[in-house]
Amino acid sequence: MDYNPNKIEKRWQKFWERLEIFEAKDFSKKPKKYILIEFPYPSGEGLHVGHCRPYIALDIVSRKRRMEDFNVLFPMGWDAFGLPTENYAIKTGIHPKIATRKNTVNFKRQQKNLGFSFDWTREINTTDPSYYKWTQWIFVQLFKKGLAYKAKMPINWCSSCKIGLANEEVIDGRCERCGEKVVKKEKEQWLLKITDYAERLIDDLEKVDYPERVKTLEKDWIGRSKGYEIKFQVSNSKFKEKRFINVFTTRIDTIFGATYLVVAPEHTILEKLKKEIENWKTVERYIEKSKRKTDKERISEIKNKTGIKLKGIRVLNPATNKEIPIFVADYVLMHYGTGAIMSVPCHDKRDFDFAKSYNLPIIKVIKSEEKEKRPGFTLSSESYKEVYEGEGILVNSKRFNGMKSETARERIADWLAKKKLAKKSVHYKLRDWIFSRQRYWGEPIPMVKCEKCGWLALPEKELPLKLPNVKEYKPTEKGESPLAKIGKWVGTKCPKCDGPAKRETDVMPNWAGSNWYYLRYCDPKNDENLASPKLLGYWMPVDWYNGGMEHTTLHLLYSRFIYKFLWDIGTIPKFLSPEPYKKRTSHGIILGEGGIKMSKSKGNVISPDNVIKQYGADTLRVYEMFMGPFNQSIAWDTKGVKGVRRFLDKVWKLSNQFINLSQSKSQQSVSDLEKLLQKTIKKVSEDIEALKFNTAVSSLMEFSNAWQKNIKGLKKKNFKDFLKILSPFAPHLAEELYQKFKVQSSKRKATTKSSKVSKLKSIFKEKWPKYDIKLIKEEKIVLIIEINGKVRDKIKVKKEISEEEAKKIALNSPKIKKWLQAKKIKKTIFLKNKLINFVII
């Protein structure tokens, strides 16, 4: 009988579901493992093969963990609030709730068809009021602790979606959802004080196992800078009191070279000094123009830096006591540092370009030690064509001349601190998180405004504040949420004075429900608490979390912040780590054939449904793990899919042949095939842990090729072990062959198909095999290493070592390194299992 996945896969999916073997057990005596993948946004298009890659990978890990006797929590749910469903409602008139229900049913069908071992009893949906009750509860707690506040501010505004966007939602100056160009607009917004957690969000990265590139991205996004705040006094005799502009810098050692000051267009000092600024009208027009630019446009390295000199006012450089001009320029951002910078054009490229454009003085105050060492170099011979931004020796810096810049920073800071003109300071690039969205399909913000009492949170007993039905899903022309049109819903009573009040009509961003979803999986049906502290204590932290690199500065950062807040207020037991995830890994995306990104517009999106129908779920699973390194992007290749199907056909054929032969007396001696199987068990086990799925599959293929040459070379136990290490990758095929083998071994005449499936024991109840270390010991030989035919070293290496491996080992030998100093290898002679000879000149 040929391998026909369509006949066997549904049967085993129902079997696993009936046995409930993938359901996690609360407070089990087994050690727990919480394995998590980012829950998807259920779009109308359904899953494509790119979605499947991380699901398959962590499903393999989860299945292996269960067979290693762990109590595994591997849950799934739906991050279902968001703009695409709302836009669909605007186009079709179909309520987002109905569209979401339809989409989640389809996504779940597709995931089940792939045989994922999710615990569906813990399924959650962020649009379910019983879930977002606790999303609202978290917001209320943030408000009570002063970490949620409302402020009028310039925000990123998408004119198409008519909503405000967080910096993280603006990609290359455009809305990440619709691609429309983003502009600046002043609007009242709810914000969360994530900046209060900036230091901990950086420091606690040392407590977790994340890839270095993930840690670096988060650190760079938070942008911690340690430096100094310096006071520059405004020198204008009209002022009765001294006025200062505070500047933040990490290079106080260059202050003697500061020849002008620049303030951001939003800086409050401009409004305070406008009567003294002689060209205020020009400055005002420049400020208004800058408001229409995004931050990315303002700080772009490509465009020319623009600015306006403030006529009539200057500041004193506190180091030189000389007056220097002030400019307003949009390349300085108000939300970074103090919104004002001291400009040192000789030692900062941006300042240098600006100074050249406006003919401003350029003073060298740091000289490079390396340049000084060059023969014939003199200070006077160097022109100002280049900017030097490194460390060095101070010049033109009075008493600090000749001092190393690292030392001078402390000395100059102490000198100015004594004059009360400088102090140590830490600044962050991270901004408070904009938490308002002017749309319908999101969690209502549980706040009311009373003219007498101000903003107040709804009492917790009134949660959840349910999302009402509306006729129109479009935001108003004023940019308000569609909820603002529902007068009966907006009007309410103040929870404090019982007077008239109005509900907040903005809703939460699509990140709100995903900030804490991993906690809800621990206790998904709890009506009294976000989750039971005991269950959180049992399941948390997440042991392994896989997600996209694109979420590093969005979901990952936000969820770490919310977890820390809940940890601080005692919702999460204090004996747990202040970090939610022990380990984080990321996957590369799957591109369309030819290396082009999959998209609906290009018509190259590949549905798993079509692949499963033609080749089977196990073929799709194995192919996606075999196609290339898991953390790298790779193009889909139908030829590769066919190749994997041929591999599974071979396994099916060989296994059936073995099962039919397996009743004959087994051989007693250990065959080479058995030794290879032990190496394969070791390889597959280690590769799964290292996410090297492609090489794990490759080793399974190598074994099947060797088995094909010696079908009788396995014992019964060996065959079962092979099926076990295959099972996480191709679970349906492995289960079918395992059950067939059991039936044949017990000399039943009935086939697996006719047996009572409910009484069978699944392969996933078996123990993960351990390799026999005695059988994988590699024979050693002594490799002779010669140089020009003379023996210079002897090293023990494994037998059958390749020329490339031998060369690498030989060249790393200290004895050989000595003989090869300043020599060139002309030729390499390699005699396998004997010697390697380098001919040098």
Side-chain angles (χ1 to χ4, degrees):
M1 186 176 72
D2 292 336
Y3 171 47
N4 189 340
N6 291 329
K7 282 189 175 181
I8 66 172
E9 289 179 347
K10 288 284 183 191
R11 178 150 45 97
W12 295 119
Q13 288 162 13
K14 290 175 183 177
F15 168 60
W16 297 327
E17 194 171 333
R18 201 163 14 213
L19 287 188
E20 301 176 351
I21 59 175
F22 304 137
E23 291 182 16
K25 305 293 185 259
D26 293 335
F27 307 117
S28 167
K29 292 180 180 179
K30 293 181 180 180
K32 71 92 181 177
K33 287 294 175 185
Y34 186 174
I35 297 168
L36 184 68
I37 50 175
E38 291 174 342
F39 62 165
Y41 175 79
S43 64
E45 289 77 32
L47 286 174
H48 61 68
V49 291
H51 290 115
C52 303
R53 196 179 193 189
Y55 302 164
I56 297 166
L58 273 290
D59 185 60
I60 288 169
V61 173
S62 298
R63 287 175 181 273
K64 178 174 179 280
R65 287 288 183 277
R66 291 190 191 96
M67 294 173 80
E68 291 170 330
D69 212 29
F70 285 98
N71 181 28
V72 175
L73 172 54
F74 185 45
M76 176 48 64
W78 316 107
D79 188 13
F81 275 127
L83 268 178
T85 306
E86 183 166 317
N87 290 338
Y88 180 74
I90 292 169
K91 287 179 184 177
T92 63
I94 296 172
H95 195 285
K97 189 187 295 182
I98 296 169
T100 296
R101 191 181 302 121
K102 179 183 174 184
N103 294 346
T104 53
V105 167
N106 185 43
F107 262 64
K108 189 172 181 178
R109 174 192 64 80
Q110 289 180 298
Q111 289 181 343
K112 285 194 168 188
N113 284 348
L114 277 154
F116 296 135
S117 62
F118 296 132
D119 181 352
W120 287 109
T121 66
R122 295 171 186 260
E123 181 182 0
I124 58 173
N125 190 316
T126 57
T127 66
D128 186 333
S130 67
Y131 179 91
Y132 70 68
K133 167 185 178 178
W134 299 105
T135 308
Q136 292 174 335
W137 179 86
I138 291 170
F139 185 90
V140 170
Q141 308 316 308
L142 287 160
F143 179 75
K144 287 178 179 179
K145 296 295 182 181
L147 293 172
Y149 65 99
K150 200 162 196 185
K152 192 170 187 177
M153 58 178 295
I155 63 165
N156 302 309
W157 181 260
C158 176
S159 303
S160 174
C161 299
K162 291 186 174 64
I163 59 168
L165 303 170
N167 288 335
E168 297 88 336
E169 295 172 306
V170 180
I171 310 298
D172 295 327
R174 295 185 178 276
C175 173
E176 71 151 1
R177 287 290 187 186
C178 72
E180 186 74 18
K181 196 174 187 300
V182 171
V183 297
K184 286 289 182 181
K185 182 174 182 177
E186 281 215 340
K187 195 165 181 65
E188 274 206 335
Q189 299 282 300
W190 284 101
L191 294 99
L192 301 185
K193 282 190 179 179
I194 190 172
T195 48
D196 281 14
Y197 284 74
E199 187 171 2
R200 287 167 63 186
L201 287 168
I202 288 179
D203 292 345
D204 287 355
L205 286 171
E206 299 305 312
K207 299 176 180 178
V208 292
D209 178 12
Y210 289 5
E212 276 308 311
R213 61 178 180 155
V214 170
K215 290 185 178 183
T216 300
L217 275 170
E218 289 218 343
K219 287 176 183 177
D220 288 349
W221 186 265
I222 297 166
R224 177 164 61 191
S225 295
K226 293 181 179 180
Y228 304 87
E229 267 191 37
I230 308 169
K231 288 183 174 182
F232 284 73
Q233 186 181 341
V234 179
S235 54
N236 191 314
S237 57
K238 293 179 183 178
F239 302 139
K240 292 180 181 179
E241 296 179 0
K242 288 182 180 180
R243 297 202 181 192
F244 295 92
I245 297 175
N246 286 2
V247 165
F248 173 75
T249 180
T250 59
R251 293 298 300 269
I252 197 172
D253 50 309
T254 65
I255 192 169
F256 285 91
T259 57
Y260 63 100
L261 209 70
V262 183
V263 296
E266 303 86 357
H267 204 296
T268 54
I269 196 71
L270 295 171
E271 187 66 30
K272 292 175 183 176
L273 298 179
K274 68 179 183 179
K275 291 181 180 179
E276 283 73 37
I277 299 171
E278 296 170 4
N279 57 335
W280 174 248
K281 290 292 181 185
T282 306
V283 170
E284 195 172 32
R285 283 195 296 271
Y286 181 84
I287 293 170
E288 287 302 314
K289 189 178 178 182
S290 71
K291 287 180 181 178
R292 295 193 288 274
K293 296 180 182 178
T294 65
D295 289 353
K296 191 174 183 71
E297 289 172 327
R298 285 171 59 173
I299 63 175
S300 171
E301 293 294 332
I302 299 170
K303 76 178 193 73
N304 293 325
K305 305 295 182 287
T306 63
I308 302 292
K309 184 179 178 180
L310 305 184
K311 295 179 181 178
I313 58 169
R314 296 168 75 83
V315 291
L316 290 173
N317 182 325
T320 64
N321 211 33
K322 291 179 180 178
E323 287 190 342
I324 58 174
I326 312 172
F327 285 77
V328 57
D330 61 12
Y331 73 82
V332 177
L333 303 177
M334 187 62 219
H335 57 68
Y336 185 65
T338 61
I341 63 166
M342 67 175 201
S343 297
V344 186
C346 200
H347 303 291
D348 184 280
K349 181 67 169 65
R350 183 181 56 177
D351 298 344
F352 178 82
D353 293 341
F354 193 88
K356 285 281 191 180
S357 300
Y358 291 88
N359 198 27
L360 296 164
I362 299 173
I363 301 170
K364 181 171 184 169
V365 292
I366 306 281
K367 66 181 181 181
S368 167
E369 290 184 85
E370 290 300 314
K371 284 187 177 182
E372 290 298 299
K373 292 173 184 176
R374 293 201 315 239
F377 179 89
T378 60
L379 180 62
S380 59
S381 70
E382 185 171 75
S383 66
Y384 292 125
K385 290 180 182 177
E386 293 183 5
V387 173
Y388 179 66
E389 296 181 324
E391 303 289 354
I393 305 298
L394 266 65
V395 294
N396 298 321
S397 300
K398 295 184 178 180
R399 68 170 78 178
F400 304 100
N401 283 342
M403 196 176 287
K404 286 189 175 182
S405 51
E406 297 96 326
T407 306
R409 278 199 279 278
E410 293 291 333
R411 298 287 180 85
I412 292 172
D414 290 343
W415 175 58
L416 291 176
K418 287 174 183 175
K419 298 180 181 183
K420 296 186 177 179
L421 294 173
K423 64 178 182 180
K424 284 187 177 181
S425 183
V426 178
H427 281 266
Y428 297 91
K429 191 168 62 177
L430 182 69
R431 296 296 89 212
D432 281 343
W433 177 13
I434 298 171
F435 208 70
S436 295
R437 297 295 183 272
Q438 295 70 40
R439 65 184 186 217
Y440 170 70
W441 193 232
E443 299 92 338
I445 296 175
M447 302 294 296
V448 298
K449 189 175 184 181
C450 170
E451 291 303 320
K452 181 180 175 183
C453 306
W455 282 104
L456 294 166
L458 282 182
E460 291 176 21
K461 64 182 180 181
E462 293 184 23
L463 300 179
L465 173 61
K466 291 185 179 180
L467 191 63
N469 289 323
V470 294
K471 292 180 181 178
E472 288 285 332
Y473 303 108
K474 286 184 179 179
T476 68
E477 287 306 313
K478 293 180 181 178
E480 294 177 307
S481 161
L483 297 176
K485 301 174 187 175
I486 312 174
K488 289 183 180 179
W489 186 81
V490 174
T492 187
K493 289 184 178 181
C494 173
K496 187 176 181 181
C497 72
D498 213 32
K502 290 185 176 181
R503 295 191 193 279
E504 173 57 73
T505 58
D506 285 356
V507 296
M508 298 185 195
N510 56 306
W511 309 106
S514 64
N515 291 330
W516 67 280
Y517 78 110
Y518 51 92
L519 299 171
R520 190 63 173 173
Y521 282 139
C522 299
D523 194 9
K525 296 177 177 65
N526 193 326
D527 291 328
E528 302 301 320
N529 292 289
L530 179 149
S532 155
K534 287 184 178 180
L535 283 169
L536 290 174
Y538 176 76
W539 285 115
M540 291 298 292
V542 174
D543 294 284
W544 192 332
Y545 190 19
N546 188 87
M549 279 298 294
E550 69 275 16
H551 294 146
T552 301
T553 54
L554 291 163
H555 159 69
L556 188 63
L557 187 65
Y558 294 161
S559 62
R560 291 179 60 225
F561 158 54
I562 293 299
Y563 180 89
K564 288 178 182 300
F565 168 70
L566 294 173
W567 189 85
D568 286 347
I569 65 172
T571 302
I572 293 164
K574 281 288 196 291
F575 64 82
L576 289 172
S577 164
E579 282 290 323
Y581 321 116
K582 276 186 180 180
K583 179 178 181 176
R584 170 79 173 186
T585 52
S586 295
H587 57 276
I589 62 171
I590 294 179
L591 303 168
E593 298 221 35
I596 302 166
K597 190 172 182 180
M598 288 189 201
S599 73
K600 192 177 178 183
S601 60
K602 293 188 180 80
N604 65 345
V605 176
I606 300 165
S607 167
D609 291 350
N610 298 332
V611 181
I612 292 170
K613 185 178 180 181
Q614 190 169 358
Y615 301 104
D618 283 344
T619 297
L620 176 60
R621 289 173 64 105
V622 176
Y623 170 68
E624 290 211 10
M625 295 299 95
F626 180 59
M627 64 193 303
F630 181 68
N631 63 349
Q632 295 177 20
S633 297
I634 193 157
W636 185 267
D637 182 7
T638 303
K639 289 180 181 177
V641 179
K642 292 176 180 177
V644 166
R645 174 57 193 263
R646 285 195 296 271
F647 160 62
L648 296 183
D649 281 334
K650 181 188 289 185
V651 170
W652 173 266
K653 184 179 178 181
L654 290 171
S655 298
N656 277 287
Q657 287 176 4
F658 179 82
I659 290 168
N660 291 330
L661 293 170
S662 63
Q663 299 310 309
S664 60
K665 193 174 180 181
S666 298
Q667 59 186 41
Q668 298 302 311
S669 60
V670 176
S671 67
D672 288 341
L673 190 63
E674 287 178 274
K675 290 179 182 178
L676 178 59
L677 178 62
Q678 296 309 308
K679 291 178 182 178
T680 307
I681 292 170
K682 181 178 187 291
K683 177 71 174 164
V684 170
S685 300
E686 292 173 352
D687 282 355
I688 289 174
E689 298 308 313
L691 298 181
K692 294 180 179 178
F693 302 108
N694 57 323
T695 54
V697 173
S698 181
S699 66
L700 289 167
M701 290 176 170
E702 288 172 13
F703 176 78
S704 68
N705 289 337
W707 187 21
Q708 191 174 27
K709 296 173 185 176
N710 181 13
I711 190 68
K712 296 180 180 180
L714 287 184
K715 295 187 176 79
K716 292 180 182 181
K717 179 187 180 301
N718 300 142
F719 176 63
K720 281 177 67 177
D721 285 347
F722 170 70
L723 292 181
K724 288 175 192 176
I725 61 173
L726 175 69
S727 67
F729 296 88
H732 311 89
L733 174 62
E735 187 76 83
E736 175 78 9
L737 294 172
Y738 173 78
Q739 300 298 346
K740 274 192 171 191
F741 178 66
K742 283 205 307 177
V743 169
Q744 191 71 9
S745 296
S746 55
K747 298 181 180 179
R748 294 179 188 150
K749 291 181 180 179
T751 64
T752 306
K753 186 175 181 180
S754 63
S755 63
K756 293 184 178 179
V757 171
S758 59
K759 292 183 179 180
L760 301 177
K761 174 187 173 184
S762 171
I763 190 172
F764 297 104
K765 287 291 186 179
E766 292 278 3
K767 301 294 183 188
W768 186 259
K770 294 181 179 179
Y771 60 87
D772 187 336
I773 197 165
K774 293 176 184 177
L775 297 182
I776 64 168
K777 280 186 177 178
E778 293 168 330
E779 287 184 57
K780 299 281 184 178
I781 55 112
V782 175
L783 180 70
I784 297 169
I785 307 171
E786 297 179 347
I787 294 179
N788 290 344
K790 292 184 179 181
V791 177
R792 298 301 183 190
D793 200 2
K794 294 178 181 179
I795 299 177
K796 274 192 175 183
V797 297
K798 66 182 180 182
K799 195 176 179 182
E800 304 299 324
I801 190 171
S802 68
E803 180 178 349
E804 187 181 345
E805 289 176 297
K807 188 175 180 180
K808 187 177 179 182
I809 290 168
L811 292 177
N812 278 323
S813 163
K815 291 179 182 179
I816 300 305
K817 283 181 179 178
K818 183 182 72 173
W819 285 99
L820 292 179
Q821 280 181 357
K823 302 290 183 182
K824 186 177 180 181
I825 298 173
K826 184 181 179 182
K827 187 178 178 182
T828 303
I829 300 165
F830 178 65
L831 297 177
K832 198 168 189 177
N833 293 328
K834 290 184 179 180
L835 65 82
I836 186 165
N837 177 32
F838 298 112
V839 179
I840 63 172
I841 53 174

